[in-house]
Amino acid sequence: MKRLVLDHFRRWAWLLTLGAILEFGLGWLIAQRPDDPFEFWIFLLALWSGALLLNFDLQRGIVRVVAVLPLTARQIGRSWWVATVAVPAVASAALLFLGGGTGHYVEPEETFPAGRLALASLFVLPWLGTTFTSIYGMNNDVVFGNWRQRASATGFGLLSSVMLFGGMLTLEHATKQPVKLAIFLGLGAVLITAGWLRAERFVLGRASFRLPALHVHFPQGQYRAPAGHGGIPFLVRTYAGRAFLVVTAMVALMALLLTWHGFAASPEAAVGQFATLSSFMSALLILFLYLLPVVRQLRYLRSLPVSSSRLALVLLGITVLPLAGLGGLVAGAAGLLSGIPAAVTVLKTYTWMLALTSLCVCLAAWRGEEIQVWVLQFVLLCVLQWAPIGWETWLQHPPHSPGQLGSVASGVVCVAFLLTRLALRRSTHAYRVVPGTQVNLFGDATWGSGR
């Protein structure tokens, strides 16, 4: 078990080292500015130091490799729980206090904020546990288990989703709101415990220790093919439709949580913040849950009698269509509730995010499923989503009209189409399939991104 933990740290040493440096810097910053909110930065650091890194290895079949070792599924699962929840939490707390102590030693002007650092350290553990459970909570029990197993797996999956998407929205200045803080820590404790207790089942689902077909009670030899069209139209309709439903449900949940949380700023600023966060999270979800499986199948899609131009349109359609539909829906709701200016703000935000998402598509078609691609996409969406606001604020440019921003976004989408088409013709990275690769980034949920 110890070697599994050390192997994880060895393979991700470069990224964990970068996270440790940032964690040290965050502790220093908290010591210098103890009144500033820190919750969102804790979430980002916990996300990239916990189970998300392990999941990249799980996609490449690491469970089937370690399954031949003289270890039980429980030992394997709990070893990875220790590597992605327990150890990062302890290390994060140590680095936060070390950074805060160093900052206070260099500039001892304020009282040492031991309480703030302790609370920041306490925040890390729920995020790590939530990430672990959200990634592995949806396993074969959802499809092949009995009603109790289905209810348990679905319940933990939904609870972790609420924590992930709702926590970022409601935890700003949560340290000053004891009720919300208690709810967050209580739900985090439930998910941490569930991750430890269910670690064995997560491994079983990933490694296919049990043959799911043995648990299905359908009569043998009575399979009936579904009616309707197939092929490329079925691919676009299925993935774009599912993506639209999932992101719409997520944005509705975020809207409810924002209503419960209240408006910290003016209504106009709150609409802008909600549009930015909801479009960003929707784009990430579409890219990771729905574009990734298709990118993994490009090797087979290129063997079909389909031109590279049409295939490029398919890739863009899977990501652009649900985001465009969601943007229109949110803009209409904002217009009915808050007036035309709010609808225009939402429409401009989603239009620009749609353009950035199309650029992520051409990156995926160019380099395939390499982890560097997904990190670059995450950074691109984080940074460039503020480009229109920075252009207006820093360069003193007049606000862009929806027509101007729409024209720029249309041009970016056209360029992304040409680059995607060129990548499909020239690049070979997307067609290099690693044996035993898993296509699902967030578990074995068949409604999401299964093969």
Side-chain angles (χ1 to χ4, degrees):
M1 294 177 62
K2 180 177 66 175
R3 292 188 177 182
L4 284 181
V5 176
L6 295 178
D7 177 71
H8 171 76
F9 293 139
R10 178 186 59 81
R11 283 180 289 100
W12 293 104
W14 64 276
L15 191 55
L16 293 174
T17 301
L18 177 60
I21 296 173
L22 295 176
E23 200 85 49
F24 179 87
L26 181 60
W28 188 310
L29 183 63
I30 292 176
Q32 299 300 317
R33 305 170 65 177
D35 295 330
D36 290 354
F38 58 81
E39 295 86 356
F40 179 71
W41 304 110
I42 288 291
F43 165 74
L44 288 181
L45 292 175
L47 183 66
W48 289 101
S49 61
L52 186 60
L53 300 180
L54 174 63
N55 197 54
F56 285 110
D57 295 328
L58 296 175
Q59 295 170 18
R60 290 160 175 81
I62 190 174
V63 176
R64 290 183 177 133
V65 175
V66 300
V68 300
L69 298 176
L71 297 172
T72 64
R74 175 176 298 181
Q75 290 174 324
I76 295 172
R78 291 187 175 180
S79 296
W80 281 332
W81 185 92
V82 170
T84 58
V85 179
V87 174
V90 174
S92 176
L95 289 168
L96 285 172
F97 272 94
L98 182 60
T102 305
H104 182 71
Y105 178 78
V106 174
E107 299 180 14
E109 298 180 359
E110 302 286 343
T111 304
F112 182 67
R116 295 285 288 178
L117 291 171
L119 195 56
S121 303
L122 187 62
F123 262 65
V124 177
L125 188 56
W127 280 130
L128 292 171
T130 300
T131 306
F132 185 91
T133 308
S134 64
I135 288 178
Y136 310 120
M138 303 287 283
N139 52 37
N140 289 339
D141 290 343
V142 177
V143 181
F144 304 109
N146 55 40
W147 68 270
R148 291 182 179 178
Q149 293 172 336
R150 292 182 182 182
S152 176
T154 304
F156 283 121
L158 293 177
L159 181 60
S160 57
S161 299
V162 170
M163 282 284 289
L164 280 177
F165 299 129
M168 291 181 296
L169 190 63
T170 61
L171 281 182
E172 185 178 359
H173 300 290
T175 54
K176 301 178 181 178
Q177 302 178 20
V179 175
K180 293 180 180 179
L181 182 59
I183 293 174
F184 171 74
L185 295 178
L187 293 179
V190 171
L191 293 174
I192 292 168
T193 305
W196 172 262
L197 296 177
R198 295 174 57 83
E200 176 183 4
R201 305 197 67 84
F202 300 158
V203 175
L204 290 174
R206 285 282 186 168
S208 298
F209 280 66
R210 300 174 302 161
L211 292 177
L214 297 178
H215 297 263
V216 181
H217 302 291
F218 299 139
Q220 296 182 359
Q222 297 186 13
Y223 175 74
R224 180 176 298 176
H229 62 272
I232 296 299
F234 176 77
L235 175 66
V236 175
R237 178 175 62 86
T238 301
Y239 273 70
R242 290 177 179 177
F244 175 75
L245 293 177
V246 170
V247 297
T248 300
M250 182 194 70
V251 171
L253 173 63
M254 294 174 63
L256 292 175
L257 291 172
L258 180 62
T259 303
W260 174 62
H261 177 63
F263 296 94
S266 63
E268 294 79 9
V271 169
Q273 294 173 1
F274 176 77
T276 301
L277 181 60
S278 62
S279 62
F280 173 73
M281 293 301 300
S282 300
L284 279 183
L285 206 63
I286 292 171
L287 289 173
F288 282 98
L289 274 183
Y290 296 96
L291 179 64
L292 175 60
V294 180
V295 169
R296 289 173 181 258
Q297 306 302 328
L298 283 180
R299 178 182 180 182
Y300 308 104
L301 291 173
R302 289 296 286 139
S303 65
L304 299 175
V306 177
S307 65
S308 57
S309 298
R310 188 181 180 189
L311 188 54
L313 287 175
V314 169
L315 295 177
L316 288 172
I318 290 174
T319 54
V320 167
L321 290 178
L323 195 60
L326 177 65
L329 186 63
V330 176
L336 292 175
L337 296 175
S338 303
I340 300 300
V344 171
T345 299
V346 172
L347 197 61
K348 290 168 62 176
T349 302
Y350 272 85
T351 300
W352 183 242
M353 185 57 67
L354 187 145
L356 298 182
T357 306
S358 65
L359 292 178
C360 294
V361 174
C362 67
L363 287 174
W366 173 42
R367 301 294 296 183
E369 56 171 327
E370 295 179 355
I371 184 175
Q372 292 85 354
V373 173
W374 303 106
V375 173
L376 181 60
Q377 289 177 347
F378 182 82
V379 174
L380 184 146
L381 293 178
C382 285
V383 175
L384 292 187
Q385 67 172 330
W386 302 103
I389 299 177
W391 181 270
E392 297 170 3
T393 303
W394 299 331
L395 301 181
Q396 303 299 319
H397 190 277
H400 297 86
S401 66
Q404 292 174 334
L405 199 59
S407 300
V408 175
S410 300
V412 173
V413 172
C414 292
V415 172
F417 166 73
L418 295 176
L419 292 176
T420 304
R421 179 171 174 267
L422 180 63
L424 291 173
R425 287 187 170 186
R426 301 292 179 87
S427 178
T428 62
H429 286 81
Y431 311 133
R432 299 175 184 176
V433 178
V434 180
T437 313
Q438 300 292 331
V439 300
N440 197 341
L441 190 66
F442 293 101
D444 292 324
T446 55
W447 53 265
S449 54
R451 187 183 294 270

